[in-house]
C-alpha cells in the first residue's frame, strides 16, 4: 500500500488534475493542445537531448538490456498485429496501428516519473538508455510496416526515404539524435545554453502529465471493447513479462531489471494515438487503449513494484 500511495498516486494525481480541469471547463481543449505541443515539441526533446548528451554510453548502453526490452516490445507488436488481423478481422493497416499500440509503452510520461519516485534519480540511467532507442525503434517498425502495407505493388526503392522523412518529423527523435551528436562528438556546450535547457527540462514532466490528463478526457471508450482490452492486456502483461524474464535470464543487475520491467509495464503512450491519427487507422482503439491502459496501470504497476527487488 505504501508503494501505491508514495510512488504511483502522485503521478496519477497530476494527470487527474488535468483530466478534471478539462472535464469541468477550467482548462480548454486549445490549452491542452498548446501544453502538449510545448511538452512534446520542446520541453521533452530538451530533456532527452540533455540526458543523452551527458549519458555514459559505455557504461549504460547495455545491448543485452536493450535486446531484452525490445524483444518484448517487438513481441507485443507482432501479437497485436496478428491478433487484430486474425482474431478481430481488421484490415492490415488497422492491424498495424493496433500493433503499434502494443509496441509503444509510455516510457517518458509514466516510466520516468514512476521509476524515479520508486528508486531515485540515480536509477534512471538504464531508463534513458532504453528511451534513447524507443521512439526511433518504434516509429521505424510501425512506419516501415505501414508503408509496406500501403505501398503494395509500389516502388521498394522509395520506402527508406518515406520512413526516414516520417521519423525525423518527430521532435523527440530530433532531440535524441542531437544528444548523440554532442555525446559522441565530445562537443562542449556553454553553460548559459545548458542552464536555459535545464529550465525547460524542469517544466517537462509535470506539464506533460497535466496535459496528458486533459488529452485522456477526450478519449473515452466508445466501442471496440474486445480489441481495446486485448491491446491493454498485451501492453500491461505480455511486454513486461517478456522483458522481466529475459533480463533475469541474462543475469543483468537489479537496476537494469527495474528499469526494463517498469518501462515495459507502462500503458500505451499518446504516441500510439498520434501514429493511428497520422494514418487515419484504428483511432478509436488507440485512443481508448491509452485511456484504459493508463487507468489500469495503477494496479499493474503496483504489482510490479511488489515483485521487483
Amino acid at each position: 500500500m505504501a508503494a501505491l500511495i508514495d510512488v504511483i498516486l502522485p503521478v496519477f494525481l497530476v494527470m487527474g488534475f488535468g483530466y478534471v480541469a478539462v472535464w469541468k471547463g477550467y482548462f480548454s481543449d486549445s490549452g491542452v493542445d498548446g501544453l502538449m505541443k510545448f511538452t512534446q515539441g520542446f520541453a521533452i526533446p530538451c530533456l532527452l537531448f540533455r540526458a543523452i548528451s551527458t549519458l555514459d554510453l559505455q557504461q549504460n548502453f547495455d545491448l543485452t538490456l536493450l535486446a531484452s526490452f525490445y524483444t518484448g516490445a517487438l513481441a507485443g507488436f507482432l501479437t497485436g498485429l496478428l491478433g487484430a488481423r486474425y482474431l478481430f478481422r481488421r484490415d492490415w493497416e488497422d492491424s498495424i496501428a493496433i500493433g503499434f499500440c502494443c509496441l509503444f509503452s509510455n516510457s517518458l510520461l509514466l516510466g520516468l516519473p514512476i521509476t524515479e519516485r520508486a528508486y531515485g534519480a540515480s536509477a534512471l540511467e538504464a531508463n534513458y538508455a532504453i528511451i534513447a532507442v524507443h521512439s526511433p525503434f518504434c516509429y521505424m517498425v510501425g512506419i516501415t510496416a505501414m508503408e509496406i502495407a500501403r505501398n503494395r505493388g509500389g516502388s521498394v526503392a522509395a520506402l527508406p526515404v518515406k520512413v526516414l522523412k516520417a521519423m525525423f518529423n518527430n521532435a523527440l527523435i530530433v532531440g535524441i539524435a542531437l544528444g548523440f551528436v554532442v555525446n559522441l562528438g565530445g562537443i562542449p556546450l556553454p553553460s548559459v545554453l545548458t542552464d536555459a535547457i535545464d529550465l525547460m527540462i524542469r517544466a517537462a514532466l509535470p506539464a506533460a502529465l497535466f496535459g496528458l490528463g486533459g488529452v485522456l478526457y477526450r478519449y473515452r471508450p466508445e466501442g471496440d471493447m474486445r480489441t481495446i482490452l486485448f491491446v491493454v492486456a498485451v501492453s500491461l502483461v505480455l511486454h513486461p513479462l517478456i522483458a522481466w524474464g529475459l533480463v533475469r535470464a541474462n543475469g543483468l543487475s537489479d537496476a537494469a531489471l527495474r528499469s526494463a520491467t517498469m518501462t515495459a509495464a507502462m500503458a500505451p503512450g499518446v504516441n500510439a494515438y498520434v501514429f493511428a491519427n497520422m494514418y487515419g487507422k484504428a483511432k478509436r482503439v488507440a485512443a481508448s487503449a491509452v485511456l484504459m491502459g493508463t487507468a489500469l496501470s495503477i494496479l499493474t504497476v503496483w504489482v510490479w513494484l511488489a515483485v521487483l527487488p
Side-chain angles (χ1 to χ4, degrees):
M1 182 63 72
L4 179 65
I5 295 171
D6 297 337
V7 176
I8 303 171
L9 285 186
V11 173
F12 284 93
L13 278 174
V14 176
M15 291 172 51
F17 293 150
Y19 189 98
V20 172
V22 175
W23 173 30
K24 294 298 184 181
Y26 303 132
F27 204 73
S28 67
D29 279 345
S30 61
V32 171
D33 290 337
L35 187 59
M36 293 305 285
K37 177 68 174 177
F38 165 71
T39 56
Q40 293 200 308
F42 300 95
I44 291 177
C46 283
L47 183 153
L48 292 175
F49 168 78
R50 282 289 280 153
I52 302 304
S53 67
T54 58
L55 188 66
D56 185 339
L57 296 177
Q58 186 173 4
Q59 179 178 344
N60 295 300
F61 221 70
D62 187 331
L63 292 179
T64 306
L65 166 67
L66 297 178
S68 300
F69 177 86
Y70 285 106
T71 298
L74 193 57
F77 174 76
L78 292 173
T79 302
L81 167 66
L82 297 176
R85 177 63 178 168
Y86 295 110
L87 290 179
F88 303 112
R89 305 298 179 185
R90 310 292 288 239
D91 65 40
W92 279 113
E93 293 177 24
D94 264 18
S95 299
I96 290 165
I98 290 167
F100 191 87
C101 294
C102 301
L103 169 70
F104 205 107
S105 54
N106 200 337
S107 58
L108 270 173
L109 302 192
L110 294 181
L112 277 183
I114 288 175
T115 304
E116 182 177 9
R117 291 192 62 82
Y119 305 112
S122 61
L124 295 179
E125 285 85 356
N127 285 64
Y128 284 125
I130 292 169
I131 290 169
V133 186
H134 197 231
S135 288
F137 176 85
C138 293
Y139 274 101
M140 182 183 69
V141 170
I143 292 170
T144 301
M146 187 65 82
E147 292 298 336
I148 289 172
R150 290 161 60 97
N151 198 48
R152 289 188 292 270
S155 171
V156 176
L159 188 60
V161 175
K162 288 184 179 180
V163 172
L164 288 173
K165 183 178 179 181
M167 285 177 63
F168 280 92
N169 278 334
N170 186 301
L172 302 178
I173 294 176
V174 173
I176 290 167
L178 291 175
F180 274 116
V181 169
V182 170
N183 191 316
L184 296 173
I187 301 171
L189 298 177
S191 60
V192 65
L193 176 60
T194 57
D195 288 348
I197 293 172
D198 289 342
L199 284 174
M200 293 277 284
I201 289 171
R202 288 175 201 149
L205 290 179
L209 287 170
F210 184 91
L212 178 59
V215 168
L216 291 179
Y217 175 72
R218 301 175 184 172
Y219 301 145
R220 298 177 295 281
E222 298 174 348
D224 292 320
M225 189 57 65
R226 290 173 60 228
T227 309
I228 294 163
L229 291 174
F230 176 77
V231 170
V232 170
V234 172
S235 300
L236 299 186
V237 180
L238 179 65
H239 186 184
L241 274 176
I242 292 174
W244 175 79
L246 289 175
V247 171
R248 289 195 55 175
N250 287 315
L252 299 181
S253 67
D254 286 347
L257 181 65
R258 292 166 184 162
S259 291
T261 306
M262 292 305 297
T263 305
M266 295 302 111
V270 171
N271 278 292
Y273 176 76
V274 170
F275 182 86
N277 189 57
M278 183 166 67
Y279 287 104
K281 291 293 180 179
K283 292 193 290 185
R284 181 166 60 188
V285 172
S288 298
V290 172
L291 175 60
M292 292 190 65
T294 301
L296 290 173
S297 66
I298 296 176
L299 299 177
T300 57
V301 168
W302 187 17
V303 172
W304 280 114
L305 286 172
V307 168
L308 292 169

